[in-house]
């Protein structure tokens, strides 16, 4: 039996890592030789979560050539393992819009419009009547709280809340809110990180109307935590832009408590911002009230705006 590698996206977030681990565990319980992998360094939140539940950090995968792959938490080629096209993708489990990954053969493809891949995986565990180990339940809960920003994000569904409550019981987490705040404090840690680290901590590339567009996000419990790093971050964004691959770079600085985002922008066509969000770009950013979700509140309006440029 050949090993199957379960991989989330590049610039991994807590869901990308925890979904890979939880789904590999699920497939192992169903008799597959499945191993979780990561496509990059863990962010401080994910480090906190794995440590808290005593789960080892997955191996780094730098090249998918010749491997069997299960893809979780994305289906965009720009976010997939290097040389995914020389690998065999046998399953995809996700909760985003359908991306551009394709396969020559029919595969198991499950995508649900819920707040987190780990919600989908919980549904699969339940469907097959497979027991979830305590520590795996803990990291799945963490991923749901992270992706839905403690159920405050517009991506949250009743399904996320229900499955999270069940996972909290298994994991022995009595106060989900208090636990989420601990996690978000870990997530907000920017100390000792270079501006480039921060830009790429949670960064996704898209192709919008033929143009390469990068959208990053930094989530913190209070935006004042970024006061000192904002200028260096913006200067570094300029450098990233000068490297030439991308038409536009957006960085969401999201305040988890205020439930709003300052969007830093560098673009060949800055007018795209007003088109997308109805507010003109002031110097380098726009303030977006009630915006916390990249996939529901930032990427779709940008795609529309790019299509109409
Ligand atoms: Mg993710
Ligand atoms: Mg996710
Ligand atoms: Mg996220």
């Amino acid at each position: 039996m050949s090993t199957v590698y379960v991989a989330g996206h590049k610039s991994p977030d807590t869901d990308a890592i925890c979904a890979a681990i939880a789904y590999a565990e699920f497939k192992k319980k169903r008799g597959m030789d499945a191993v979780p992998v990561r496509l990059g360094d863990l962010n401080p939140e994910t480090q906190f979560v794995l440590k808290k539940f005593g789960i080892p950090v997955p191996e780094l995968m730098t090249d998918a050539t010749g491997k069997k792959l299960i893809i979780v938490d994305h289906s965009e080629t720009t976010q997939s393992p290097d040389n995914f096209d020389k690998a065999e993708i046998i399953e995809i489990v996700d909760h985003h819009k359908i991306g551009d990954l394709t396969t020559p053969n029919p595969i198991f493809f499950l995508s649900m419009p819920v707040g987190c891949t780990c919600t989908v995986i919980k549904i699969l565990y339940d469907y097959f009547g497979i027991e979830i180990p305590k520590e795996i339940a803990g990291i799945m809960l963490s991923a749901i709280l992270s992706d839905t920003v403690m159920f405050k994000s517009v991506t949250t569904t009743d399904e996320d809340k229900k499955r999270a409550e069940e996972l909290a019981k298994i994991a022995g987490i009595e106060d989900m809110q208090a636990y989420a705040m601990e996690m978000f404090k870990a997530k907000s840690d920017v100390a000792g990180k270079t501006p480039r680290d921060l830009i790429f901590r949670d960064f996704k590339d898209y192709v919008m109307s033929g143009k390469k567009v990068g959208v990053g996000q930094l989530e913190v419990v209070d935006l004042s935590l970024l006061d000192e790093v904002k200028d260096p971050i913006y200067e570094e964004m300029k450098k990233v832009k000068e490297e030439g691959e991308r038409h536009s770079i957006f960085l969401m600085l999201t305040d988890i408590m205020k439930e709003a985002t300052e969007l830093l922008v560098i673009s060949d066509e800055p007018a795209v911002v007003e088109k997308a969000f109805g507010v003109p770009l002031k110097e380098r950013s726009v303030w977006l009230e009630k915006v916390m979700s990249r996939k529901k509140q930032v990427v779709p309006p940008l795609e529309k705006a790019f299509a109409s440029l």
Side-chain angles (χ1 to χ4, degrees):
M1 187 167 51
S2 60
T3 302
V4 175
Y5 297 89
V6 186
H9 51 80
K10 289 180 172 164
S11 292
D13 57 8
T14 296
D15 189 29
I17 297 294
C18 296
I21 296 168
Y23 199 59
E25 178 72 21
F26 170 82
K27 296 306 285 186
K28 262 193 273 177
K29 293 217 143 105
R30 309 246 314 136
M32 186 186 271
D33 176 21
V35 173
V37 290
R38 64 185 166 92
L39 304 187
D41 292 337
L42 299 194
N43 69 37
E45 179 190 70
T46 314
Q47 288 173 20
F48 166 85
V49 167
L50 295 190
K51 209 171 155 205
K52 162 113 187 159
F53 294 99
I55 301 263
V57 175
E59 291 286 312
L60 181 70
M61 189 171 76
T62 52
D63 186 351
T65 304
K67 298 198 163 95
K68 271 192 182 169
L69 285 184
I70 292 176
I71 295 291
V72 293
D73 200 34
H74 74 285
S75 65
E76 307 263 351
T77 55
T78 52
Q79 300 170 18
S80 286
D82 289 341
N83 294 320
F84 67 87
D85 50 338
K86 297 185 191 88
E88 184 192 355
I89 295 169
I90 63 165
E91 293 190 25
I92 299 174
V93 180
D94 190 25
H95 72 122
H96 294 83
K97 75 183 167 78
I98 299 178
D100 55 354
L101 266 182
T102 56
T103 61
N105 296 307
I107 63 162
F108 179 89
F109 183 107
L110 179 58
S111 187
M112 298 176 86
V114 293
C116 182
T117 305
C118 280
T119 301
V120 182
I121 295 172
K122 171 71 164 70
I123 290 169
L124 284 170
Y125 268 98
D126 293 348
Y127 181 80
F128 287 97
I130 294 172
E131 213 172 299
I132 306 178
K134 188 175 176 182
E135 65 281 8
I136 297 289
I139 65 169
M140 290 170 76
L141 169 68
S142 306
I144 297 174
L145 291 171
S146 171
D147 261 14
T148 66
V149 196
M150 210 171 70
F151 312 127
K152 287 199 287 189
S153 169
V154 292
T155 56
T156 311
T157 65
D158 289 344
E159 209 54 74
D160 298 300
K161 292 183 192 158
K162 181 178 155 223
R163 309 285 167 168
E165 268 160 33
E166 293 164 3
L167 289 165
K169 266 192 203 126
I170 303 169
I173 299 284
E174 270 162 37
D175 187 343
M176 260 199 274
Q177 199 148 342
Y179 173 61
M181 282 316 292
E182 263 183 77
M183 246 176 54
F184 295 152
K185 273 194 200 125
K187 185 195 226 91
S188 305
D189 183 20
V190 295
K193 295 284 183 282
T194 67
R196 191 162 283 241
D197 285 342
L198 295 174
I199 294 167
F200 286 103
R201 176 181 282 183
D202 179 5
F203 193 89
K204 292 181 179 178
D205 278 315
Y206 300 87
V207 179
M208 299 188 186
S209 301
K211 299 176 176 90
K212 187 164 179 183
V213 175
V215 187
Q217 183 172 30
L218 264 180
E219 294 160 294
V220 289
V221 283
D222 187 336
L223 274 192
S224 67
L225 290 166
L226 300 178
D227 282 351
E228 270 165 37
V229 290
K230 213 188 278 180
D231 289 344
I233 282 179
Y234 191 72
E235 290 310 307
E236 192 65 27
M237 281 171 71
K238 283 188 197 159
K239 283 190 199 146
V240 174
K241 177 77 175 74
E242 276 159 21
E243 285 159 20
E245 295 159 49
R246 297 179 183 90
H247 174 280
S248 303
I249 301 170
F250 300 91
L251 185 64
M252 300 170 65
L253 307 178
T254 300
D255 190 313
I256 294 173
M257 301 317 289
K258 287 203 189 83
E259 302 183 32
T261 289
E262 179 178 1
L263 186 69
L264 290 177
V265 180
I266 297 187
S267 177
D268 289 341
E269 283 156 289
V272 77
V273 172
E274 187 164 2
K275 268 204 164 115
F277 304 104
V279 245
L281 188 63
K282 263 196 217 143
E283 288 175 44
R284 60 185 188 186
S285 72
V286 278
W287 180 255
L288 304 172
E289 282 295 340
K290 292 279 155 209
V291 169
M292 294 206 284
S293 168
R294 170 174 41 206
K295 86 174 162 195
K296 272 207 157 174
Q297 296 171 298
V298 173
V299 169
L302 279 177
E303 285 197 318
K304 241 193 194 170
F306 272 99
S308 71
L309 273 182

